[in-house]
Amino acid sequence: MAFDLDEQEQLATLKNWWEKYGNLTTWVLIIALAAYAGWSGWNYYQRSQALQASQLYDEQQKAVTAKDNAKVQRAAADIQQKFGSTAYAGMAAMAAAKTAFDANDLNAAKDQLQWVVDHGHDADYKALARIRLAGILLDQKAYDDGLKVLAADLPAPFASAAADRKGDILVAQNKLDEARAAYQLALDKMDSKNPGKQLIQLKLDAIGGAPAKAAA
């Protein structure tokens, strides 16, 4: 097929451009397609992981309802081992900790809460796990360990509960001045409409009321 002069010039220009940039363009295209394929594959993998984890989590919840602590703990361990990167791992660990605590299996409860602290991805779950773990350590008279667990920076909504738990531990250590300060902080951080405020105030009153203010 014959080409007119304009078409020949366009073809020549395209040929020259391809000679200069053709290989680069091909590689850019290959890289882009590979990246897209990788992104699609990763999303599919994530969805698959979440689906399998959700199925295991549903089975765990049935065991929770049945109060089958052993089965609940096994399900949590399976989810953590196979699907530890999903949100279900933290949820399963928290559920396992509660079931173990209700069954008076404090060591299992402590292990599950520690897993959330060490491996959890949700900041709220990690904060709640720290507060509950400190409570178990208080029951086990591991006071210093409990205070260490609470020493981390926690999201603002958990500041009051953490201070309250810290106060409980300090009372157990007979460090009443520090306990008063902790309870007062818990009151200051808690919403005025929260019914838990009354309980903290009762605990504060029981050890002598508001902490003494430092001299100006």
Side-chain angles (χ1 to χ4, degrees), residues 5 12 15 57 70-71 74 79 90 92 97 112 117 131 146 156 203 215:
L5 184 59
K15 182 177 179 181
Y57 182 74
K71 190 171 182 179
R74 287 197 301 271
I79 295 173
Q112 293 293 348
V117 170
I131 294 168
K203 290 193 285 187

Side-chain angles (χ1 to χ4, degrees), residues 105-157:
D105 187 358
L106 296 186
N107 286 331
K110 188 166 62 173
D111 289 344
Q112 293 293 348
L113 293 170
Q114 190 65 57
W115 189 93
V116 178
V117 170
D118 293 339
H119 305 289
H121 299 287
D122 185 277
D124 288 351
Y125 274 174
K126 288 169 73 73
L128 184 58
R130 284 184 178 277
I131 294 168
R132 291 183 178 176
L133 178 56
I136 293 176
L137 292 169
L138 169 60
D139 291 341
Q140 295 183 330
K141 303 185 187 317
Y143 305 131
D144 289 339
D145 290 339
L147 292 175
K148 288 178 183 178
V149 167
L150 294 172
D153 290 332
L154 303 181

Side-chain angles (χ1 to χ4, degrees), residues 193-208:
K193 297 180 181 179
N194 192 319
K197 206 174 184 76
Q198 296 180 357
L199 176 58
I200 299 174
Q201 186 65 58
L202 286 173
K203 290 193 285 187
L204 177 57
D205 292 342
I207 60 173

Side-chain angles (χ1 to χ4, degrees), residues 25-43:
T25 302
T26 300
W27 279 110
V28 168
L29 181 60
I30 290 172
I31 292 170
L33 290 173
Y36 176 76
W39 178 78
S40 299
W42 175 249
N43 282 344

Side-chain angles (χ1 to χ4, degrees), residues 58-72:
D58 287 344
E59 290 300 315
Q60 187 206 39
Q61 292 308 294
K62 293 177 184 177
V64 169
T65 301
K67 298 182 179 180
D68 187 341
N69 183 43
K71 190 171 182 179
V72 170

Side-chain angles (χ1 to χ4, degrees), residues 184 210-216:
Q184 188 60 57
K213 295 183 179 179

